[in-house]
Structure formats: C-alpha cells, structure tokens
Amino acid sequence: MLRSNFLRAIGFFFFVASSLSCAIPNLEKPECQQSRQTVKEFYSYHFGNEMKFSRENLRQRERFLTSELIKNLAANNSENDVFTTNSTDLPKAFRVGECTVSAPDKTNFEVVLFWKDDFTSRQQEIAVETVKQNDKWLISRINR
C-alpha cells in the first residue's frame, strides 16, 4: 500500500512537472521576434549606463543604430536623453511592448517608459522603428 501511494505520488509529480514545462506558443511574427531582441538589448544597455547625451555615449550605442540615425543624432547639442523623452527627466525603467510589421524589413515597437519615486508614479510610451540592414536589425527612428 505504501509503495503504491509512493508510485502514485511520483507519477503525479511527473505529470505536473511535464504540464508546467509545456511552452506557450509565441504568436509574434518572426520579424518582431528578431527585431525585439535588438530593442531590448539597446534599452538594457542604455538604462544600465549614462543616459545623458554625449558624443561618447552615442559612439557606445552605434552597434544598435542605423548610420542615418547616428548622423542625425550627432548634430544634437544638448544633454537631453534623445533615446527616451528628449529631456533631462530620465525614466527609471522600460518595457518593450507591442510590435507591428510595416514591411518585411521594418518593424515598429511601443516602448513604455516608467518613472517612480516616493511621491509619483507615471509612464509614457514612445515608438521605436527598426529596420533590417545587412541581416542585422537596427534602430532607425524614435518618436516621442
């Protein structure tokens, strides 16, 4: 009897474990899956380092950006964070949200920015466009 209960318990454990390990299918289009990685990596790097604009900070982020965007941003003369709100009010966190495919080589993401301190909590969405160039997804535009 004890052995029978033990075997049932083990069987139940394996059933539960195998049920939990079943993956939920990702319904996102392949273009979004691939380009999402670039957006996540970029903003993880950006938030983990100095966010104020400088030529050196732009140079450190070039691997994520198109040459056109780099050229446009190089003309910036302020310390505003050009990758979030274009201000000095720096968000504390981000989340990469919904993606739409506008062409086989172009995607658009909603990136949600978060601020939280002892007194307030708020969020703001920005739009980030990526394009595929030379088999690599790069950020080409940020709309605030």
Short mmCIF file of all heavy atoms in Angstrom, two decimals, residues 51-118:
data_model
loop_
_atom_site.label_atom_id
_atom_site.label_comp_id
_atom_site.label_asym_id
_atom_site.label_seq_id
_atom_site.Cartn_x
_atom_site.Cartn_y
_atom_site.Cartn_z
N MET A 51 22.76 57.99 -19.35
CA MET A 51 21.68 58.23 -20.31
C MET A 51 21.72 59.64 -20.92
O MET A 51 21.07 59.88 -21.92
CB MET A 51 20.32 57.97 -19.66
CG MET A 51 20.13 56.50 -19.30
SD MET A 51 18.68 56.15 -18.29
CE MET A 51 17.34 56.55 -19.40
N LYS A 52 22.46 60.54 -20.30
CA LYS A 52 22.57 61.89 -20.88
C LYS A 52 23.30 61.79 -22.21
O LYS A 52 24.23 61.02 -22.39
CB LYS A 52 23.33 62.82 -19.94
CG LYS A 52 22.57 63.16 -18.69
CD LYS A 52 23.37 64.09 -17.83
CE LYS A 52 22.65 64.38 -16.53
NZ LYS A 52 23.47 65.21 -15.64
N PHE A 53 22.89 62.64 -23.15
CA PHE A 53 23.50 62.60 -24.47
C PHE A 53 24.91 63.17 -24.44
O PHE A 53 25.17 64.21 -23.84
CB PHE A 53 22.67 63.36 -25.50
CG PHE A 53 23.26 63.29 -26.87
CD1 PHE A 53 23.04 62.17 -27.65
CD2 PHE A 53 24.07 64.29 -27.35
CE1 PHE A 53 23.61 62.08 -28.92
CE2 PHE A 53 24.64 64.21 -28.62
CZ PHE A 53 24.41 63.10 -29.39
N SER A 54 25.80 62.48 -25.12
CA SER A 54 27.15 62.98 -25.40
C SER A 54 27.64 62.25 -26.63
O SER A 54 27.12 61.19 -27.00
CB SER A 54 28.10 62.74 -24.21
OG SER A 54 28.40 61.37 -24.10
N ARG A 55 28.64 62.79 -27.27
CA ARG A 55 29.21 62.14 -28.45
C ARG A 55 29.75 60.74 -28.09
O ARG A 55 29.59 59.79 -28.83
CB ARG A 55 30.34 62.97 -29.04
CG ARG A 55 29.91 64.38 -29.41
CD ARG A 55 29.67 64.54 -30.90
NE ARG A 55 29.38 65.92 -31.23
CZ ARG A 55 28.15 66.41 -31.29
NH1 ARG A 55 27.13 65.66 -31.00
NH2 ARG A 55 27.94 67.66 -31.63
N GLU A 56 30.38 60.64 -26.92
CA GLU A 56 30.92 59.35 -26.48
C GLU A 56 29.80 58.35 -26.22
O GLU A 56 29.91 57.18 -26.62
CB GLU A 56 31.75 59.54 -25.19
CG GLU A 56 32.30 58.25 -24.61
CD GLU A 56 33.24 57.50 -25.55
OE1 GLU A 56 33.84 58.12 -26.45
OE2 GLU A 56 33.39 56.28 -25.37
N ASN A 57 28.72 58.77 -25.59
CA ASN A 57 27.60 57.86 -25.34
C ASN A 57 26.95 57.41 -26.65
O ASN A 57 26.53 56.26 -26.77
CB ASN A 57 26.56 58.51 -24.42
CG ASN A 57 27.08 58.64 -23.00
OD1 ASN A 57 28.07 58.02 -22.62
ND2 ASN A 57 26.43 59.48 -22.22
N LEU A 58 26.87 58.31 -27.62
CA LEU A 58 26.34 57.94 -28.93
C LEU A 58 27.26 56.90 -29.59
O LEU A 58 26.78 55.89 -30.11
CB LEU A 58 26.20 59.17 -29.83
CG LEU A 58 25.71 58.91 -31.25
CD1 LEU A 58 24.32 58.27 -31.25
CD2 LEU A 58 25.69 60.22 -32.04
N ARG A 59 28.55 57.12 -29.52
CA ARG A 59 29.51 56.18 -30.10
C ARG A 59 29.36 54.79 -29.47
O ARG A 59 29.41 53.78 -30.17
CB ARG A 59 30.94 56.69 -29.90
CG ARG A 59 31.98 55.89 -30.69
CD ARG A 59 33.41 56.25 -30.33
NE ARG A 59 33.75 55.99 -28.95
CZ ARG A 59 33.90 54.77 -28.40
NH1 ARG A 59 33.71 53.70 -29.13
NH2 ARG A 59 34.24 54.64 -27.14
N GLN A 60 29.11 54.72 -28.18
CA GLN A 60 28.96 53.43 -27.49
C GLN A 60 27.69 52.69 -27.91
O GLN A 60 27.60 51.48 -27.73
CB GLN A 60 28.95 53.64 -25.98
CG GLN A 60 30.27 54.12 -25.44
CD GLN A 60 30.18 54.54 -23.99
OE1 GLN A 60 29.12 54.52 -23.37
NE2 GLN A 60 31.31 54.95 -23.43
N ARG A 61 26.72 53.40 -28.47
CA ARG A 61 25.44 52.80 -28.85
C ARG A 61 25.32 52.54 -30.35
O ARG A 61 24.32 52.03 -30.83
CB ARG A 61 24.30 53.70 -28.38
CG ARG A 61 24.15 53.67 -26.86
CD ARG A 61 23.48 54.94 -26.33
NE ARG A 61 23.27 54.89 -24.90
CZ ARG A 61 24.21 55.10 -23.97
NH1 ARG A 61 25.46 55.35 -24.34
NH2 ARG A 61 23.93 55.04 -22.69
N GLU A 62 26.35 52.88 -31.11
CA GLU A 62 26.30 52.79 -32.58
C GLU A 62 25.95 51.40 -33.09
O GLU A 62 25.30 51.27 -34.12
CB GLU A 62 27.63 53.25 -33.18
CG GLU A 62 27.81 54.74 -33.14
CD GLU A 62 29.12 55.20 -33.76
OE1 GLU A 62 29.95 54.34 -34.14
OE2 GLU A 62 29.31 56.42 -33.86
N ARG A 63 26.34 50.36 -32.41
CA ARG A 63 26.09 48.99 -32.89
C ARG A 63 24.59 48.66 -32.96
O ARG A 63 24.21 47.70 -33.62
CB ARG A 63 26.83 47.97 -32.04
CG ARG A 63 26.30 47.82 -30.63
CD ARG A 63 27.16 46.81 -29.85
NE ARG A 63 26.67 46.60 -28.52
CZ ARG A 63 27.03 47.29 -27.45
NH1 ARG A 63 27.90 48.28 -27.57
NH2 ARG A 63 26.54 47.00 -26.26
N PHE A 64 23.75 49.46 -32.31
CA PHE A 64 22.32 49.24 -32.30
C PHE A 64 21.57 50.15 -33.29
O PHE A 64 20.36 50.01 -33.46
CB PHE A 64 21.74 49.51 -30.90
CG PHE A 64 22.31 48.66 -29.82
CD1 PHE A 64 23.24 49.16 -28.94
CD2 PHE A 64 21.91 47.34 -29.68
CE1 PHE A 64 23.75 48.37 -27.91
CE2 PHE A 64 22.43 46.54 -28.67
CZ PHE A 64 23.35 47.06 -27.79
N LEU A 65 22.25 51.12 -33.88
CA LEU A 65 21.61 52.21 -34.62
C LEU A 65 22.00 52.21 -36.10
O LEU A 65 23.12 51.84 -36.45
CB LEU A 65 22.00 53.55 -34.00
CG LEU A 65 21.85 53.67 -32.48
CD1 LEU A 65 22.44 54.99 -32.01
CD2 LEU A 65 20.41 53.52 -32.05
N THR A 66 21.08 52.70 -36.94
CA THR A 66 21.41 52.88 -38.35
C THR A 66 22.37 54.06 -38.49
O THR A 66 22.40 54.96 -37.65
CB THR A 66 20.16 53.15 -39.21
OG1 THR A 66 19.56 54.37 -38.76
CG2 THR A 66 19.16 52.00 -39.12
N SER A 67 23.12 54.07 -39.58
CA SER A 67 24.06 55.17 -39.81
C SER A 67 23.31 56.49 -39.99
O SER A 67 23.81 57.54 -39.58
CB SER A 67 24.94 54.87 -41.02
OG SER A 67 24.16 54.64 -42.17
N GLU A 68 22.10 56.43 -40.56
CA GLU A 68 21.30 57.66 -40.73
C GLU A 68 20.90 58.25 -39.38
O GLU A 68 20.98 59.46 -39.18
CB GLU A 68 20.05 57.38 -41.57
CG GLU A 68 20.33 56.95 -42.99
CD GLU A 68 20.62 55.45 -43.12
OE1 GLU A 68 20.37 54.67 -42.17
OE2 GLU A 68 21.11 55.06 -44.19
N LEU A 69 20.48 57.39 -38.45
CA LEU A 69 20.09 57.88 -37.13
C LEU A 69 21.31 58.42 -36.40
O LEU A 69 21.23 59.48 -35.77
CB LEU A 69 19.42 56.77 -36.32
CG LEU A 69 18.94 57.18 -34.92
CD1 LEU A 69 17.94 58.34 -34.99
CD2 LEU A 69 18.31 55.98 -34.19
N ILE A 70 22.43 57.76 -36.50
CA ILE A 70 23.65 58.24 -35.86
C ILE A 70 24.00 59.63 -36.39
O ILE A 70 24.32 60.54 -35.62
CB ILE A 70 24.82 57.26 -36.11
CG1 ILE A 70 24.56 55.94 -35.39
CG2 ILE A 70 26.15 57.88 -35.66
CD1 ILE A 70 25.47 54.81 -35.82
N LYS A 71 23.92 59.79 -37.70
CA LYS A 71 24.24 61.09 -38.32
C LYS A 71 23.29 62.17 -37.82
O LYS A 71 23.72 63.28 -37.47
CB LYS A 71 24.14 60.97 -39.84
CG LYS A 71 24.48 62.22 -40.59
CD LYS A 71 24.34 62.00 -42.08
CE LYS A 71 24.51 63.31 -42.82
NZ LYS A 71 24.28 63.15 -44.27
N ASN A 72 22.00 61.87 -37.75
CA ASN A 72 21.02 62.86 -37.27
C ASN A 72 21.25 63.22 -35.81
O ASN A 72 21.13 64.39 -35.43
CB ASN A 72 19.59 62.32 -37.44
CG ASN A 72 19.18 62.25 -38.89
OD1 ASN A 72 19.77 62.90 -39.76
ND2 ASN A 72 18.19 61.44 -39.18
N LEU A 73 21.58 62.23 -34.99
CA LEU A 73 21.77 62.49 -33.56
C LEU A 73 23.08 63.20 -33.28
O LEU A 73 23.21 63.91 -32.28
CB LEU A 73 21.68 61.19 -32.77
CG LEU A 73 20.32 60.51 -32.77
CD1 LEU A 73 20.42 59.17 -32.05
CD2 LEU A 73 19.27 61.40 -32.15
N ALA A 74 24.07 63.01 -34.13
CA ALA A 74 25.39 63.63 -33.92
C ALA A 74 25.30 65.15 -33.91
O ALA A 74 26.14 65.82 -33.32
CB ALA A 74 26.36 63.16 -34.98
N ALA A 75 24.28 65.69 -34.54
CA ALA A 75 24.11 67.15 -34.58
C ALA A 75 23.50 67.70 -33.30
O ALA A 75 23.41 68.92 -33.13
CB ALA A 75 23.22 67.53 -35.77
N ASN A 76 23.10 66.84 -32.38
CA ASN A 76 22.47 67.27 -31.13
C ASN A 76 23.49 68.03 -30.27
O ASN A 76 24.63 67.60 -30.14
CB ASN A 76 21.94 66.04 -30.38
CG ASN A 76 21.18 66.43 -29.14
OD1 ASN A 76 20.42 67.38 -29.14
ND2 ASN A 76 21.38 65.67 -28.09
N ASN A 77 23.05 69.13 -29.67
CA ASN A 77 23.94 69.95 -28.84
C ASN A 77 23.51 70.00 -27.38
O ASN A 77 24.04 70.79 -26.62
CB ASN A 77 24.02 71.38 -29.38
CG ASN A 77 24.76 71.42 -30.69
OD1 ASN A 77 25.72 70.68 -30.89
ND2 ASN A 77 24.32 72.26 -31.60
N SER A 78 22.55 69.19 -26.97
CA SER A 78 22.09 69.23 -25.58
C SER A 78 22.46 67.93 -24.87
O SER A 78 22.91 66.97 -25.48
CB SER A 78 20.58 69.44 -25.53
OG SER A 78 19.91 68.25 -25.89
N GLU A 79 22.24 67.90 -23.57
CA GLU A 79 22.46 66.69 -22.79
C GLU A 79 21.18 65.89 -22.63
O GLU A 79 21.15 64.92 -21.90
CB GLU A 79 23.03 67.05 -21.41
CG GLU A 79 24.45 67.55 -21.46
CD GLU A 79 25.05 67.73 -20.08
OE1 GLU A 79 24.31 67.63 -19.07
OE2 GLU A 79 26.26 67.97 -19.99
N ASN A 80 20.11 66.29 -23.30
CA ASN A 80 18.83 65.58 -23.20
C ASN A 80 18.99 64.14 -23.67
O ASN A 80 19.77 63.85 -24.58
CB ASN A 80 17.76 66.27 -24.05
CG ASN A 80 17.35 67.61 -23.48
OD1 ASN A 80 17.71 67.96 -22.37
ND2 ASN A 80 16.58 68.35 -24.25
N ASP A 81 18.22 63.26 -23.06
CA ASP A 81 18.25 61.86 -23.45
C ASP A 81 17.44 61.68 -24.73
O ASP A 81 16.23 61.57 -24.70
CB ASP A 81 17.68 60.99 -22.32
CG ASP A 81 17.70 59.52 -22.67
OD1 ASP A 81 18.31 59.14 -23.68
OD2 ASP A 81 17.08 58.75 -21.92
N VAL A 82 18.12 61.60 -25.85
CA VAL A 82 17.47 61.52 -27.15
C VAL A 82 16.84 60.15 -27.42
O VAL A 82 16.07 59.99 -28.37
CB VAL A 82 18.45 61.87 -28.30
CG1 VAL A 82 18.91 63.31 -28.19
CG2 VAL A 82 19.62 60.90 -28.31
N PHE A 83 17.13 59.18 -26.59
CA PHE A 83 16.60 57.83 -26.80
C PHE A 83 15.34 57.54 -25.99
O PHE A 83 14.75 56.48 -26.12
CB PHE A 83 17.67 56.79 -26.49
CG PHE A 83 18.88 56.94 -27.36
CD1 PHE A 83 20.09 57.35 -26.83
CD2 PHE A 83 18.81 56.68 -28.72
CE1 PHE A 83 21.20 57.50 -27.64
CE2 PHE A 83 19.91 56.81 -29.53
CZ PHE A 83 21.11 57.23 -28.99
N THR A 84 14.93 58.48 -25.14
CA THR A 84 13.67 58.30 -24.40
C THR A 84 12.77 59.50 -24.63
O THR A 84 12.01 59.51 -25.58
CB THR A 84 13.93 58.06 -22.89
OG1 THR A 84 14.61 59.17 -22.32
CG2 THR A 84 14.72 56.78 -22.65
N THR A 85 12.86 60.53 -23.80
CA THR A 85 11.92 61.65 -23.86
C THR A 85 12.50 62.93 -24.44
O THR A 85 11.81 63.95 -24.50
CB THR A 85 11.39 61.97 -22.45
OG1 THR A 85 12.51 62.35 -21.63
CG2 THR A 85 10.68 60.79 -21.85
N ASN A 86 13.77 62.90 -24.83
CA ASN A 86 14.47 64.09 -25.30
C ASN A 86 14.43 65.21 -24.25
O ASN A 86 14.24 66.38 -24.57
CB ASN A 86 13.92 64.58 -26.64
CG ASN A 86 14.93 65.44 -27.37
OD1 ASN A 86 16.14 65.32 -27.15
ND2 ASN A 86 14.47 66.32 -28.23
N SER A 87 14.61 64.81 -23.00
CA SER A 87 14.66 65.75 -21.89
C SER A 87 15.68 65.25 -20.88
O SER A 87 16.31 64.21 -21.07
CB SER A 87 13.28 65.89 -21.24
OG SER A 87 12.97 64.73 -20.48
N THR A 88 15.82 65.98 -19.77
CA THR A 88 16.70 65.54 -18.69
C THR A 88 15.93 64.78 -17.62
O THR A 88 16.51 64.34 -16.63
CB THR A 88 17.44 66.73 -18.06
OG1 THR A 88 16.47 67.68 -17.61
CG2 THR A 88 18.38 67.38 -19.06
N ASP A 89 14.62 64.62 -17.80
CA ASP A 89 13.77 63.85 -16.88
C ASP A 89 13.90 62.37 -17.26
O ASP A 89 13.16 61.87 -18.11
CB ASP A 89 12.33 64.33 -16.99
CG ASP A 89 11.39 63.62 -16.03
OD1 ASP A 89 11.89 63.01 -15.05
OD2 ASP A 89 10.17 63.67 -16.25
N LEU A 90 14.86 61.70 -16.66
CA LEU A 90 15.21 60.34 -17.06
C LEU A 90 14.30 59.30 -16.43
O LEU A 90 14.11 59.29 -15.21
CB LEU A 90 16.66 60.05 -16.69
CG LEU A 90 17.70 61.02 -17.28
CD1 LEU A 90 19.08 60.69 -16.76
CD2 LEU A 90 17.66 60.99 -18.79
N PRO A 91 13.75 58.40 -17.23
CA PRO A 91 12.92 57.32 -16.68
C PRO A 91 13.78 56.33 -15.90
O PRO A 91 15.00 56.26 -16.08
CB PRO A 91 12.30 56.67 -17.92
CG PRO A 91 13.19 57.04 -19.04
CD PRO A 91 13.85 58.34 -18.69
N LYS A 92 13.12 55.55 -15.05
CA LYS A 92 13.82 54.57 -14.20
C LYS A 92 13.83 53.18 -14.81
O LYS A 92 14.68 52.36 -14.49
CB LYS A 92 13.16 54.49 -12.82
CG LYS A 92 13.08 55.82 -12.09
CD LYS A 92 14.44 56.29 -11.69
CE LYS A 92 14.31 57.57 -10.85
NZ LYS A 92 15.49 58.36 -10.88
N ALA A 93 12.84 52.88 -15.67
CA ALA A 93 12.72 51.53 -16.24
C ALA A 93 11.99 51.60 -17.57
O ALA A 93 11.43 52.65 -17.93
CB ALA A 93 11.97 50.61 -15.27
N PHE A 94 11.98 50.48 -18.30
CA PHE A 94 11.30 50.41 -19.59
C PHE A 94 10.72 49.02 -19.77
O PHE A 94 11.11 48.06 -19.10
CB PHE A 94 12.27 50.73 -20.73
CG PHE A 94 13.23 49.60 -21.02
CD1 PHE A 94 12.95 48.66 -22.01
CD2 PHE A 94 14.39 49.43 -20.27
CE1 PHE A 94 13.82 47.61 -22.26
CE2 PHE A 94 15.26 48.39 -20.52
CZ PHE A 94 14.98 47.47 -21.52
N ARG A 95 9.81 48.93 -20.73
CA ARG A 95 9.26 47.64 -21.16
C ARG A 95 9.03 47.73 -22.66
O ARG A 95 8.44 48.69 -23.15
CB ARG A 95 7.95 47.32 -20.45
CG ARG A 95 7.32 46.00 -20.91
CD ARG A 95 6.02 45.67 -20.18
NE ARG A 95 5.04 46.75 -20.20
CZ ARG A 95 4.19 47.00 -21.19
NH1 ARG A 95 4.20 46.27 -22.28
NH2 ARG A 95 3.33 47.99 -21.10
N VAL A 96 9.49 46.73 -23.40
CA VAL A 96 9.26 46.69 -24.84
C VAL A 96 7.90 46.02 -25.04
O VAL A 96 7.70 44.88 -24.64
CB VAL A 96 10.37 45.91 -25.58
CG1 VAL A 96 10.09 45.88 -27.07
CG2 VAL A 96 11.73 46.54 -25.30
N GLY A 97 6.97 46.76 -25.64
CA GLY A 97 5.61 46.28 -25.79
C GLY A 97 5.29 45.78 -27.18
O GLY A 97 6.09 45.11 -27.83
N GLU A 98 4.12 46.17 -27.63
CA GLU A 98 3.55 45.68 -28.89
C GLU A 98 4.43 45.98 -30.09
O GLU A 98 5.05 47.04 -30.19
CB GLU A 98 2.18 46.31 -29.09
CG GLU A 98 1.44 45.80 -30.29
CD GLU A 98 0.06 46.43 -30.42
OE1 GLU A 98 -0.50 46.91 -29.44
OE2 GLU A 98 -0.46 46.44 -31.55
N CYS A 99 4.42 45.05 -31.03
CA CYS A 99 5.19 45.19 -32.27
C CYS A 99 4.26 45.05 -33.46
O CYS A 99 3.35 44.22 -33.44
CB CYS A 99 6.27 44.11 -32.34
SG CYS A 99 7.14 44.03 -33.92
N THR A 100 4.50 45.86 -34.47
CA THR A 100 3.81 45.70 -35.75
C THR A 100 4.87 45.64 -36.86
O THR A 100 5.92 46.28 -36.76
CB THR A 100 2.83 46.85 -36.04
OG1 THR A 100 3.55 48.09 -35.99
CG2 THR A 100 1.69 46.88 -35.04
N VAL A 101 4.57 44.86 -37.87
CA VAL A 101 5.46 44.75 -39.03
C VAL A 101 4.91 45.66 -40.12
O VAL A 101 3.77 45.50 -40.55
CB VAL A 101 5.54 43.30 -39.54
CG1 VAL A 101 6.42 43.21 -40.78
CG2 VAL A 101 6.06 42.37 -38.44
N SER A 102 5.70 46.65 -40.55
CA SER A 102 5.23 47.55 -41.59
C SER A 102 5.80 47.18 -42.96
O SER A 102 5.31 47.67 -43.98
CB SER A 102 5.57 49.00 -41.23
OG SER A 102 6.92 49.15 -40.94
N ALA A 103 6.82 46.34 -42.98
CA ALA A 103 7.42 45.81 -44.22
C ALA A 103 8.27 44.61 -43.80
O ALA A 103 8.58 44.47 -42.61
CB ALA A 103 8.28 46.88 -44.89
N PRO A 104 8.65 43.77 -44.74
CA PRO A 104 9.47 42.60 -44.36
C PRO A 104 10.77 42.97 -43.64
O PRO A 104 11.31 42.17 -42.88
CB PRO A 104 9.76 41.92 -45.69
CG PRO A 104 8.66 42.34 -46.58
CD PRO A 104 8.30 43.74 -46.16
N ASP A 105 11.24 44.19 -43.86
CA ASP A 105 12.49 44.62 -43.24
C ASP A 105 12.29 45.81 -42.30
O ASP A 105 13.24 46.53 -41.99
CB ASP A 105 13.52 44.98 -44.30
CG ASP A 105 13.06 46.13 -45.19
OD1 ASP A 105 11.86 46.49 -45.15
OD2 ASP A 105 13.91 46.67 -45.93
N LYS A 106 11.05 46.02 -41.81
CA LYS A 106 10.78 47.16 -40.93
C LYS A 106 9.74 46.79 -39.89
O LYS A 106 8.68 46.26 -40.22
CB LYS A 106 10.30 48.35 -41.74
CG LYS A 106 10.17 49.64 -40.93
CD LYS A 106 9.66 50.80 -41.76
CE LYS A 106 10.71 51.26 -42.74
NZ LYS A 106 10.33 52.48 -43.45
N THR A 107 10.03 47.08 -38.62
CA THR A 107 9.08 46.85 -37.53
C THR A 107 8.96 48.11 -36.69
O THR A 107 9.86 48.96 -36.69
CB THR A 107 9.52 45.68 -36.62
OG1 THR A 107 10.81 45.98 -36.07
CG2 THR A 107 9.56 44.36 -37.37
N ASN A 108 7.86 48.18 -35.97
CA ASN A 108 7.60 49.31 -35.06
C ASN A 108 7.21 48.77 -33.70
O ASN A 108 6.34 47.90 -33.60
CB ASN A 108 6.49 50.20 -35.61
CG ASN A 108 6.89 50.83 -36.92
OD1 ASN A 108 7.69 51.74 -36.94
ND2 ASN A 108 6.36 50.32 -38.02
N PHE A 109 7.85 49.31 -32.66
CA PHE A 109 7.59 48.87 -31.29
C PHE A 109 7.06 50.01 -30.44
O PHE A 109 7.46 51.16 -30.61
CB PHE A 109 8.89 48.39 -30.63
CG PHE A 109 9.33 47.05 -31.12
CD1 PHE A 109 10.21 46.95 -32.18
CD2 PHE A 109 8.86 45.89 -30.53
CE1 PHE A 109 10.62 45.72 -32.64
CE2 PHE A 109 9.27 44.65 -30.98
CZ PHE A 109 10.15 44.56 -32.04
N GLU A 110 6.21 49.64 -29.51
CA GLU A 110 5.84 50.54 -28.43
C GLU A 110 6.82 50.23 -27.29
O GLU A 110 6.97 49.08 -26.90
CB GLU A 110 4.42 50.25 -27.97
CG GLU A 110 4.03 51.01 -26.74
CD GLU A 110 2.70 50.52 -26.18
OE1 GLU A 110 2.67 49.43 -25.57
OE2 GLU A 110 1.71 51.24 -26.38
N VAL A 111 7.49 51.25 -26.81
CA VAL A 111 8.36 51.11 -25.65
C VAL A 111 7.75 51.97 -24.55
O VAL A 111 7.51 53.16 -24.75
CB VAL A 111 9.81 51.54 -25.96
CG1 VAL A 111 10.67 51.49 -24.70
CG2 VAL A 111 10.41 50.64 -27.04
N VAL A 112 7.49 51.34 -23.42
CA VAL A 112 6.87 52.04 -22.30
C VAL A 112 7.96 52.42 -21.31
O VAL A 112 8.76 51.57 -20.90
CB VAL A 112 5.81 51.16 -21.60
CG1 VAL A 112 5.09 51.95 -20.51
CG2 VAL A 112 4.82 50.60 -22.61
N LEU A 113 8.01 53.70 -20.96
CA LEU A 113 8.98 54.23 -20.02
C LEU A 113 8.29 54.46 -18.68
O LEU A 113 7.13 54.89 -18.65
CB LEU A 113 9.56 55.54 -20.54
CG LEU A 113 10.14 55.50 -21.96
CD1 LEU A 113 10.50 56.90 -22.42
CD2 LEU A 113 11.34 54.58 -22.01
N PHE A 114 9.01 54.19 -17.58
CA PHE A 114 8.42 54.30 -16.24
C PHE A 114 9.26 55.21 -15.35
O PHE A 114 10.49 55.14 -15.36
CB PHE A 114 8.35 52.92 -15.58
CG PHE A 114 7.50 51.93 -16.32
CD1 PHE A 114 8.08 51.05 -17.22
CD2 PHE A 114 6.12 51.90 -16.14
CE1 PHE A 114 7.30 50.13 -17.91
CE2 PHE A 114 5.35 50.99 -16.83
CZ PHE A 114 5.93 50.11 -17.72
N TRP A 115 8.56 56.04 -14.56
CA TRP A 115 9.17 56.86 -13.53
C TRP A 115 8.49 56.50 -12.22
O TRP A 115 7.27 56.34 -12.19
CB TRP A 115 8.92 58.34 -13.78
CG TRP A 115 9.65 58.92 -14.93
CD1 TRP A 115 10.79 59.66 -14.88
CD2 TRP A 115 9.28 58.86 -16.31
NE1 TRP A 115 11.16 60.05 -16.14
CE2 TRP A 115 10.24 59.58 -17.04
CE3 TRP A 115 8.22 58.27 -17.01
CZ2 TRP A 115 10.19 59.71 -18.42
CZ3 TRP A 115 8.17 58.40 -18.38
CH2 TRP A 115 9.15 59.12 -19.07
N LYS A 116 9.25 56.36 -11.16
CA LYS A 116 8.67 56.11 -9.85
C LYS A 116 9.61 56.66 -8.80
O LYS A 116 10.81 56.42 -8.82
CB LYS A 116 8.45 54.62 -9.62
CG LYS A 116 7.78 54.31 -8.29
CD LYS A 116 7.28 52.89 -8.26
CE LYS A 116 6.68 52.52 -6.94
NZ LYS A 116 5.50 53.22 -6.56
N ASP A 117 9.02 57.43 -7.87
CA ASP A 117 9.78 57.90 -6.71
C ASP A 117 8.84 57.85 -5.51
O ASP A 117 7.76 57.26 -5.59
CB ASP A 117 10.37 59.30 -6.94
CG ASP A 117 9.33 60.36 -7.27
OD1 ASP A 117 8.17 60.23 -6.82
OD2 ASP A 117 9.69 61.34 -7.94
N ASP A 118 9.21 58.48 -4.44
CA ASP A 118 8.39 58.43 -3.23
C ASP A 118 7.05 59.13 -3.38
O ASP A 118 6.13 58.88 -2.60
CB ASP A 118 9.15 59.06 -2.06
CG ASP A 118 10.35 58.25 -1.65
OD1 ASP A 118 10.37 57.04 -1.96
OD2 ASP A 118 11.29 58.81 -1.04
#
